[in-house]
Amino acid sequence: MFDSHAHYDDEKFDADRDQVLLECVNSGVTHIVNAGCDLESSKKSLELSEKYPFVYAAVGVHPHEASGCSENTLDEIKALAGKEKVVAIGEIGLDYHYDFSPRDVQKEVFAKQIALARELNLPIIVHDRESHRDVLDILKSERAYETGGVLHCFSGSVEMAREAFELGFKIGIGGAVTFKNARKSIEVVQFAPLDMLLVETDCPYMTPEPYRGRRNWSGYIKLILQKMAEIKGIDYSEIEEATTNNAKRLFRV
Ligand code: NI
């Protein structure tokens, strides 16, 4: 199982990080991409990836942190991105739900990091919350399709998924697909070709049912895969294999 998006640097894992990561391997997790949110967590992602062979790092500045992102920050992100275990620039994007940074700043920092990813030939991991139209427009205007990537924790419609696929972007499906109000996510999984789907926990957040409310971890990826297999009417092993291969291809691991 390939968890394409996790945050094991989060303080919620401070007490038992090593144990949890060991338990991931025991429960069949073969790869984890740990996504950075700012310089600090990008460095921690890299450290985790250098400590654990099955952990890979993404480095980048989340839209929440866009206000604090200077040219210097981007230079440091670029230096980190050159390390061997760094497989993507992320997570980057727009968040109009919280608007922690002004939207014009979010857009600028997103665009600059797409340019960086293209320069380094790395895929991007995109965070998009209530900003679907602007995310797609920026992916197009900044020619993000040249380097590709994944729209993580995908929350858009079938129509948006279609546009993402046309740009060559994959979508990441997480715990939300198991929630009671998951109608839109279910339609998206039904619609999506098998080769465009990744699976992710976004742990410690987004815990799938029936454990919603608890801390999330990569072992719960089984629950998401089970739901995806059920939606698509295919065998569990088929969705597990497809999502693992898709992520391996995207992140070149
Ligand atoms: Ni995340």
Side-chain angles (χ1 to χ4, degrees):
M1 298 186 284
F2 194 133
D3 186 353
S4 63
H5 195 109
H7 298 281
Y8 283 103
D9 56 291
D10 193 282
E11 61 183 15
K12 292 194 176 67
F13 292 111
D14 280 353
D16 58 355
R17 182 170 294 108
D18 291 324
Q19 262 167 276
V20 175
L21 283 165
L22 179 65
E23 199 49 44
C24 288
V25 176
N26 292 338
S27 63
V29 177
T30 53
H31 304 74
I32 295 170
V33 173
N34 201 82
C37 297
D38 55 15
L39 192 54
E40 175 80 14
S41 70
S42 295
K43 284 180 185 163
K44 285 186 184 161
S45 290
L46 179 63
E47 279 167 27
L48 283 172
S49 73
E50 289 178 339
K51 184 167 178 189
Y52 298 96
F54 56 95
V55 176
Y56 298 82
V59 297
V61 178
H62 190 285
H64 287 347
E65 313 297 334
S67 295
C69 180
S70 63
E71 286 303 322
N72 196 32
T73 313
L74 292 176
D75 286 345
E76 293 206 50
I77 292 288
K78 184 177 175 178
L80 293 175
K83 303 283 185 181
E84 198 190 332
K85 291 291 293 286
V86 175
V87 295
I89 298 294
E91 57 185 285
I92 63 175
L94 304 175
D95 192 311
Y96 294 172
H97 179 75
Y98 289 108
D99 276 322
F100 285 160
S101 295
R103 292 184 183 182
D104 55 332
V105 178
Q106 292 188 39
K107 288 183 194 173
E108 190 190 331
V109 170
F110 184 29
K112 281 182 177 167
Q113 292 183 97
I114 293 172
L116 178 62
R118 286 177 52 222
E119 184 188 333
L120 300 172
N121 193 26
L122 285 172
I124 59 175
I125 297 175
V126 180
H127 172 101
D128 161 29
R129 189 144 182 213
E130 296 171 23
S131 50
H132 302 329
R133 190 68 262 159
D134 283 357
V135 162
L136 286 173
D137 286 348
I138 291 174
L139 291 179
K140 281 180 206 159
S141 66
E142 300 302 316
R143 290 184 285 152
Y145 44 81
E146 288 179 5
T147 193
V150 56
L151 302 186
H152 113 84
C153 200
F154 186 78
S155 59
S157 61
V158 163
E159 222 13 80
M160 185 185 177
R162 193 195 311 273
E163 279 194 62
F165 299 153
E166 281 166 9
L167 287 171
F169 272 77
K170 300 193 183 330
I171 60 172
I173 302 297
V177 76
T178 68
F179 298 168
K180 278 195 184 69
N181 58 354
R183 187 186 52 85
K184 203 161 74 168
S185 303
I186 289 171
E187 285 172 6
V188 165
V189 172
Q190 273 167 346
F191 165 76
L194 208 47
D195 63 349
M196 299 310 268
L197 289 168
L198 302 190
V199 65
E200 63 172 65
T201 56
D202 205 13
C203 65
Y205 315 105
M206 295 296 287
T207 310
E209 292 290 2
Y211 301 118
R212 207 174 169 181
R214 288 199 213 173
R215 183 181 69 176
N216 200 3
W217 72 296
S218 303
Y220 287 163
I221 212 125
K222 275 194 189 87
L223 300 164
I224 305 166
L225 286 169
Q226 271 161 8
K227 184 71 188 182
M228 290 167 80
E230 182 192 313
I231 293 168
K232 289 194 100 50
I234 59 177
D235 284 345
Y236 177 88
S237 59
E238 201 179 337
I239 193 79
E240 183 189 307
E241 199 182 313
T243 51
T244 298
N245 288 337
N246 296 341
K248 279 186 179 172
R249 228 176 295 126
L250 179 66
F251 297 118
R252 301 178 208 129
V253 299

